[in-house]
Amino acid sequence: MSVLGPFWNREEELSRIRALLGKGGFGYVTGRRRIGKTATLYKACKDFGGLYHQAVEGAPEQQLLHLAEETREALPIFRDFTPRTWTEFFRLLSRETLPPLLVFDEFPYWVQGDPALPSIFQKWVDHDLGRLKTSVFVSGSSQTMLNSQFLQRGSPLYGRALLHLNLEPLNYSWFCRALNYDQEDPRSFVRFALVGGVPHYWKLLPKGSLTQQAEALYFQPTALLAEEPSYWLRDEGITGTLPKALLDFIGRGVTKPSE
């Protein structure tokens, strides 16, 4: 995976990850789409000597093959063995000398492929992770699925996490520092209003006047962010035309349920 470009702030989150290293702990990262979950975890792996893997959508066999191929350089056991099941994968993982940090991003893709995975993962966390002295973090685009796995009492992983990081949008001050805008200029705040505290959107903000920037992001036929609501709904598994229509009404200024 390539470096994701400029990285801003998240020092508090990185320090909390650092504090968990060497304790055999498990944690998960949540936050809205494009908020920087992947960038934060990737930087943590880079800074702390960790191993990062991003899951793919597909059948478990395909996911396990992809996982083994991508990690075999750092985990030699997968040079000789390609696990056929998740139980086999975690059994092999327990035989390895692991780095201080393991990150499994897009974890919900694995759960979609095999609903039994949370139970298998829970068993490994309970019985093996502590003695391996590595810290494991998972994240993903679907916040609904992540919360269902870790916050619902009936879930196998409920109560297992030692750390939950919920990434919040970055503030106006960081926006100005990142893009070299004058914090005292009202036009800078209007530009911030176009993209909010979402770092990925900052990278998409083109040069030009306010009108040109707004058109490029939202109003041109090929606008960069015009389809973001659809992508967000898809990631959360929300289907149908009504949710998109509700967001459209709110975006146009509707504020009362009666409207």
Side-chain angles (χ1 to χ4, degrees):
M1 177 180 176
S2 62
V3 178
L4 300 177
F7 184 84
W8 301 299
N9 201 4
R10 304 303 184 195
E11 292 302 320
E12 179 182 349
E13 290 85 353
L14 291 170
S15 67
R16 294 179 67 188
I17 293 174
R18 185 191 300 112
L20 197 63
L21 299 181
K23 298 181 180 179
F26 163 61
Y28 65 106
V29 179
T30 57
R32 58 147 291 165
R33 176 180 171 82
R34 305 296 197 186
I35 202 65
K37 300 182 296 296
T38 291
T40 300
L41 288 170
Y42 188 85
K43 182 168 176 59
C45 287
K46 183 179 178 182
D47 290 354
F48 307 141
L51 177 61
Y52 175 94
H53 173 77
Q54 188 174 76
V56 296
E57 292 184 272
E61 296 80 9
Q62 177 191 2
Q63 293 170 329
L64 286 162
L65 177 62
H66 181 254
L67 177 57
E69 290 178 343
E70 190 170 289
T71 59
R72 63 180 41 155
E73 183 177 340
L75 305 175
I77 197 167
F78 295 121
R79 298 174 190 170
D80 301 317
F81 301 98
T82 298
R84 294 165 295 179
T85 65
W86 286 112
T87 298
E88 195 171 278
F89 166 74
F90 287 111
R91 186 180 300 125
L92 291 171
L93 198 63
S94 296
R95 296 184 187 179
E96 266 289 0
T97 300
L98 300 177
L101 176 64
L102 284 177
V103 170
F104 299 130
D105 202 359
E106 297 299 352
F107 181 76
Y109 289 162
W110 286 352
V111 179
Q112 288 172 356
D114 186 352
L117 174 61
S119 295
I120 298 169
F121 187 42
Q122 173 233 319
K123 183 178 179 180
W124 183 74
V125 168
D126 287 352
H127 298 286
D128 289 4
L129 183 57
R131 66 175 178 79
L132 294 173
K133 301 301 181 184
T134 190
S135 294
V136 177
F137 276 81
V138 302
S139 187
S141 299
S142 176
Q143 301 309 290
T144 300
M145 181 173 288
L146 280 175
N147 288 327
S148 71
Q149 294 300 324
F150 302 117
L151 298 180
Q152 292 185 5
R153 290 184 178 275
S155 168
L157 293 170
Y158 176 78
R160 260 67 184 187
L162 296 181
L163 180 61
H164 171 206
L165 293 177
N166 184 51
L167 269 60
E168 298 288 347
L170 298 181
N171 61 29
Y172 173 61
S173 175
W174 266 105
F175 170 78
C176 292
R177 291 172 60 181
L179 300 184
N180 295 315
Y181 285 128
D182 180 2
Q183 192 168 336
E184 303 300 323
D185 188 340
R187 291 172 297 179
S188 299
F189 191 80
V190 177
R191 287 184 166 94
F192 178 67
L194 289 175
V195 290
V198 183
H200 179 76
Y201 298 166
W202 300 357
K203 301 172 188 177
L204 301 178
L205 192 64
K207 300 292 184 181
S209 68
L210 277 169
T211 300
Q212 290 170 332
Q213 290 175 320
E215 287 181 345
L217 290 176
Y218 299 107
F219 303 117
Q220 291 178 352
T222 57
L224 297 169
L225 296 180
E227 294 301 316
E228 274 295 283
S230 297
Y231 296 148
W232 178 79
L233 292 172
R234 183 201 63 191
D235 286 344
E236 298 303 326
I238 300 172
T239 60
T241 59
L242 182 58
K244 181 80 178 295
L246 288 172
L247 290 178
D248 185 63
F249 280 127
I250 294 169
R252 294 175 183 273
V254 170
T255 58
K256 299 177 182 179
S258 61
E259 295 179 282

